[in-house]
Amino acid sequence: MAALDLRSATVRVLVVGSGAREHAIAVSLAQDPEVTALACAPGNAGTAAVAEQLGLDMADNAAVVALAESWSADLVVIGPEVPLVAGAADAVREAGIPCFGPSAAAARIEGSKAFAKSVMSSAGVPTASSVMVDNPAHLDTALGVFTPPYVVKDDGLAAGKGVVVASDVEVARAHALMLLDAGHPALLESFLDGPEASLFCLVDGSTVVPLLPAQDFKRVGDGDTGPNTGGMGAYAPLPWAGEGLADELVERIVRPVAVELERRGAPFSGLLYAGLAMTSGGPAVIEFNCRFGDPETQAVLALLRTPLARLLHATATGTLADQPPIEWEDGSAVTVVVAAEGYPATPRLGDVITGAEGDGVLHAGTRRRDDGAVVSSGGRVLSVVGTGADLAAARADAYARLEPVRLAGSHHRTDIALRAERGEIGP
Ligand code: AMP
Ligand code: GLY
């Protein structure tokens, strides 16, 4: 695959996905003078304003390839984990088109928690101790190995909602039995204490380039109450972390994992996301993901000054090591997710949204109805991004941009980045 010269080539970029993460990626690519044509498939009502909107069944690898070929894409960027785990990036690369996103073999780092644990163990990377249970008869013995709070996870992909953290052993047991009943192995883990951080790294084999560290808010309610979600808000960078945190995390955690994946014949190419707990004993991995995180991407890319297409293309073509250092804007970014009534359990869809056209209002679960109205089509509906000289200013900006948005029954957290702004989070 010849490296494309982004300074002279016509660069047509196809973004695959339909969330606010893809909207954020599309907005960054649209601002990049090297990108001459941009499409998003299947996209949403927001991406349609910055990119050509193309129909696509993301679960169909052959359809992804056919679309990339018929649209003459020079670069395909695959946002979500489901097509990556299913091998969409392999299929696009086999067709000779550069693709940002890992192979199915490398995407197992997210697709199978058992595989991720095995890689981390070989690489000597700290993570929670764990026991996999695939037979209900063994559940009580396995639970007996742990102390509260109990952590019970689905072994496979679960859109951030497969995890229960509970002090009550009965709640933990019930969740594990529910997973086992559905035919999914349950992973029991020791509880990792301490603030969480998300570190996104561009990875091409053993070349690892970190982006700004961010923090995500998983619980649905203010004060970290209620069930886990796909993420209700995020901010970047982390005022409570030292300057050297990203480099330290690369050396201790991300590079060893990238090297171990290469050693296993599954080199990673794309975005490797380390979800971490900053425990008193040092950083430990909660999970790896094989793609940009949502909603952290919306905050991180708001601060990126280096044109995005060049970074993604270099990663996709194995030339990341030749890139100059990434440049960032000063200041902070905050994103607040607007969720549909009933999210995360049973979101109500089809409600009309108004006031969602402003700068910084990224769309997730939205679509345009035949009569032109924008309506909700997913649990997380919008992701509103603010920036400012510091977290207080970025928070104020995000909540001000959210003010005109109207969606019946919607809810959002009012405390995104608040504890960090107040200096209440320690390393
Ligand atoms: P995951 O889907 O693995 O990212 O888990 C979702 C959320 O559950 C994480 O962001 C944490 O807040 C929590 N969690 C998962 N595993 C652990 C653990 N071992 N210890 C503490 N919290 C955890
Ligand atoms: N922010 C959590 C995720 O993308 O999985």
Side-chain angles (χ1 to χ4, degrees):
M1 195 186 304
L4 194 71
D5 181 355
L6 279 168
R7 280 154 303 188
S8 59
T10 296
V11 180
R12 299 173 59 82
V13 186
L14 170 63
V15 178
V16 173
S18 61
R21 163 185 52 210
E22 287 75 24
H23 193 178
I25 290 170
V27 166
S28 290
L29 291 171
Q31 289 164 357
D32 184 338
E34 290 167 337
V35 175
T36 56
L38 182 63
C40 191
N44 58 43
T47 61
V50 288
E52 201 177 321
Q53 188 162 18
L54 304 171
L56 176 66
D57 173 3
M58 290 189 282
D60 180 348
N61 292 348
V64 175
V65 173
L67 184 66
E69 286 178 329
S70 66
W71 192 73
S72 304
D74 300 311
L75 174 67
V76 177
V77 179
I78 300 181
E81 61 274 21
V82 172
L84 291 167
V85 169
D90 304 85
V92 172
R93 273 192 284 270
E94 275 160 26
I97 303 172
C99 185
F100 182 84
S103 66
R108 287 180 74 209
I109 195 83
E110 174 166 4
S112 163
K113 290 189 162 56
F115 176 74
K117 289 285 182 195
S118 158
V119 169
M120 285 188 266
S121 163
S122 305
V125 166
T127 183
S129 61
S130 64
V131 175
M132 184 76 76
V133 180
D134 56 12
N135 179 342
H138 301 154
L139 179 59
D140 283 335
T141 313
L143 280 168
V145 173
F146 296 94
T147 51
Y150 298 93
V151 180
V152 181
K153 302 186 175 183
D154 190 330
D155 178 54
L157 295 180
K161 290 175 272 180
V163 180
V164 159
V165 180
S167 303
D168 182 345
V169 70
E170 292 309 326
V171 173
R173 180 186 285 116
H175 185 59
L177 287 174
M178 196 262 293
L179 294 173
L180 290 165
D181 266 359
H184 299 208
L187 189 76
L188 311 186
E189 279 195 352
S190 60
F191 180 76
L192 298 172
D193 209 353
E196 290 182 30
S198 301
L199 185 70
F200 298 169
C201 296
L202 297 171
V203 175
D204 140 24
S206 56
T207 303
V208 179
V209 177
L211 308 186
L212 289 180
Q215 192 176 55
D216 179 17
F217 292 75
K218 298 270 186 185
R219 301 284 187 139
V220 73
D222 279 358
D224 293 328
T225 53
N228 271 318
T229 68
M232 293 298 290
Y235 65 92
L238 308 175
W240 46 269
E243 281 274 310
L245 178 73
D247 289 337
E248 180 198 334
L249 294 172
V250 167
E251 293 320 317
R252 287 175 64 169
I253 289 173
V254 185
R255 197 187 317 280
V257 162
V259 168
E260 175 61 19
L261 286 171
E262 265 190 329
R263 198 188 64 77
R264 292 183 181 213
F268 196 95
S269 167
L271 193 293
L272 186 53
Y273 159 154
L276 304 150
M278 302 302 175
T279 75
S280 51
V285 174
I286 291 179
E287 63 168 350
F288 274 103
N289 292 322
C290 67
R291 34 80 196 173
F292 278 101
D294 189 341
E296 298 96 310
T297 299
Q298 291 87 299
V300 171
L301 291 186
L303 299 172
L304 179 69
R305 190 184 291 160
T306 301
L308 181 61
R310 178 174 297 250
L311 292 174
L312 302 185
H313 190 269
T315 307
T317 53
T319 57
L320 185 60
D322 305 334
Q323 292 299 306
I326 296 181
E327 291 180 41
W328 299 98
E329 305 292 346
D330 292 333
S332 299
V334 169
T335 186
V336 180
V337 169
V338 177
E341 179 171 333
Y343 178 78
T346 43
R348 194 178 73 200
L349 310 181
D351 286 305
V352 173
I353 306 154
T354 59
E357 300 79 30
D359 274 356
V361 182
L362 300 171
H363 289 215
T366 72
R367 66 179 174 86
R368 197 170 287 278
R369 236 174 23 194
D370 289 346
D371 65 0
V374 175
V375 297
S376 55
S377 61
R380 292 190 294 174
V381 181
L382 302 169
S383 199
V384 183
V385 185
T387 54
D390 56 19
L391 267 189
R395 255 176 63 75
D397 189 40
Y399 283 105
R401 288 172 195 272
L402 193 146
E403 191 50 40
V405 171
R406 295 285 175 273
L407 168 62
S410 69
H411 57 99
H412 64 267
R413 283 184 60 161
T414 65
D415 64 346
I416 301 301
L418 183 59
R419 292 186 58 230
E421 177 195 317
R422 290 180 175 160
E424 292 171 6
I425 302 180

